[in-house]
Amino acid sequence: MAKAKTPGRRQTGAKPQTVPAVQTVTVDAPTPKKRTSLPQFASQVRAEARKIVWPSRKETWITSVMVFIMVLIATVFFWVVDAGLTFASRFILGIGNN
């Protein structure tokens, strides 16, 4: 079982800690990127364009309908909030007119 250290007292027989040796590391300068020729660039663009997956007509239709529904829900929500705030402000401002 280890003894608990008491503040202000030195442990007897303890070895002093040594600092590890410092190692130097050399870093090479970054190499400049090789320029791509115009035909090679065009070839890479075509290769990436072939990877595009376009949505089907059905997916486009469903997404459009969902956007329309969300717009309607947002419209109703903001109309209700606006009507409620209008009623509340008219009520509060009308209190002094009685």
Side-chain angles (χ1 to χ4, degrees):
M1 201 189 285
K3 289 185 180 181
K5 289 185 179 181
T6 55
R9 294 189 71 194
R10 254 188 165 170
Q11 262 186 333
T12 57
K15 291 183 180 181
Q17 293 182 351
T18 58
V19 178
V22 178
Q23 296 178 353
T24 57
V25 178
T26 58
V27 179
D28 294 335
T31 57
K33 290 186 177 183
K34 184 180 174 187
R35 292 187 61 109
T36 306
S37 67
L38 192 58
Q40 186 179 12
F41 176 75
S43 172
Q44 290 175 356
V45 168
R46 281 195 304 273
E48 288 297 320
R50 281 188 226 114
K51 295 178 185 178
I52 296 174
V53 179
W54 294 100
S56 67
R57 189 175 293 268
K58 183 179 178 182
E59 289 173 332
T60 305
W61 174 251
I62 289 172
T63 304
S64 300
V65 169
M66 291 303 295
V67 168
F68 184 70
I69 290 171
M70 291 305 295
V71 167
L72 285 177
I73 290 172
T75 302
V76 170
F77 171 77
F78 286 115
W79 180 78
V80 168
V81 169
D82 182 53
L85 291 174
T86 301
F87 175 77
S89 65
R90 286 185 181 169
F91 177 76
I92 291 171
L93 294 173
I95 291 175
N97 291 337
N98 290 338

